[in-house]
Amino acid sequence: MQQKVIGLIGGMSWESSAEYYRIVNETVRARLGGLRSARCLMWSFDFGEIEALQHAGRWDEATAELVSAARRLERGGADFVVICTNTMHRMADDVQAAIGLPLLHIADPTAERIRAAGLSRVGLIGTAFTMEQDFYKGRLASRHGLDVLVPAAADRAEVHRVIYEELVQGRALPASRKAYQAVIARLVERGAEAIILGCTEIMLLVRPEDSPVPLFDTTALHAEAAVDRALAGL
């Protein structure tokens, strides 16, 4: 039996998609040994086009783009689909409805790991879309019973700014790391038992030592869950 083929919808941004590619291949090699690597396909967007749709609120057009990408992967032979970004899970249900393949939702392996650690009250940092809209927080609460805290308005604005002005451009600045440390500290003061790094680029900036409570990196957890599914039954 061969590995299942992972279908990666990437390019949002390519910096985090490169991390997905690295993690899935390193994890397969660690589990199977030798020269083994992941069987995968990736459709990579021009993120400038997607970002313009996001900030213009043109979500229907963005959804159509993701559906098209998922269908390309389906035609290419993928066995399941992974959207390599938290924010674009806003249209995960629409993408799933449009294809005949399973979609591995990024919130699920994250929540499962948090629950396994015996934690229930978590702080969430990510893009403004992820922090303020219900598509992500709602899934964590309704499906997994988590109590989700988000930063105050000024902190949300700064977290979002750093993602789009720095991290998606491959820049991780010391001043921004300090700003994120302060945001995390304020969430912990409000009772957060852990912090979800709910944007796939945040792991480029924030490290475990930046938080007094455990960090749950959605990029790594999602990529590792994809490998779990790809190797199931081997």
Side-chain angles (χ1 to χ4, degrees):
M1 180 182 293
Q2 290 183 308
Q3 300 176 51
K4 295 180 179 67
V5 178
I6 305 169
L8 300 162
I9 301 179
M12 301 173 288
S13 66
W14 71 258
E15 282 85 0
S16 63
S17 300
E19 292 300 312
Y20 269 88
Y21 187 76
R22 177 185 63 80
I23 293 166
V24 296
N25 282 289
E26 287 182 350
T27 304
V28 168
R29 183 172 59 192
R31 296 187 188 179
L32 300 183
L35 300 178
R36 303 299 295 274
S37 57
R39 300 178 74 218
C40 61
L41 301 170
M42 180 181 285
W43 170 260
S44 189
F45 281 103
D46 175 351
F47 187 50
E49 297 174 356
I50 298 298
E51 183 274 338
L53 296 177
Q54 290 176 338
H55 284 94
R58 292 159 60 187
W59 294 106
D60 288 347
E61 293 173 59
T63 298
E65 292 290 341
L66 256 71
V67 166
S68 175
R71 287 174 171 163
R72 289 171 186 265
L73 293 172
E74 184 171 26
R75 292 195 300 270
D79 291 302
F80 64 96
V81 171
V82 173
I83 301 174
C84 301
T85 162
N86 286 273
T87 297
M88 299 305 275
H89 277 74
R90 186 183 194 276
M91 55 278 294
D93 290 345
D94 291 319
V95 173
Q96 179 63 91
I99 58 175
L101 307 177
L103 184 147
L104 179 58
H105 197 291
I106 196 169
D108 295 338
T110 302
E112 288 161 9
R113 190 69 63 88
I114 291 167
R115 276 302 192 184
L119 306 172
S120 61
R121 196 170 205 210
V122 295
L124 172 64
I125 57 175
T127 66
F129 312 115
T130 299
M131 292 185 289
E132 295 171 3
Q133 298 176 17
D134 199 50
F135 67 91
Y136 196 91
K137 295 182 296 183
R139 191 179 184 97
L140 293 173
S142 64
R143 293 205 177 201
H144 301 282
L146 297 179
D147 180 11
V148 183
L149 304 174
V150 298
D155 284 348
R156 294 198 304 270
E158 178 62 7
V159 169
H160 182 89
R161 183 197 68 77
V162 168
I163 291 168
Y164 279 93
E165 294 184 9
E166 298 171 17
L167 298 182
V168 299
Q169 299 178 42
R171 299 161 58 214
L173 304 182
S176 296
R177 186 180 184 193
K178 288 183 179 179
Y180 271 50
Q181 288 171 340
V183 171
I184 289 168
R186 285 188 280 274
L187 287 168
V188 173
E189 287 172 2
R190 291 168 51 198
E193 301 168 320
I195 301 295
I196 296 174
L197 305 184
C199 172
T200 50
E201 284 84 17
I202 293 177
M203 52 91 73
L204 303 173
L205 180 67
V206 175
R207 299 289 181 264
E209 58 268 26
D210 295 318
S211 173
V213 297
L215 298 176
F216 289 84
D217 173 19
T218 55
T219 303
L221 293 170
H222 200 202
E224 290 165 8
V227 174
D228 289 342
R229 180 165 294 194
L231 300 187
L234 291 186

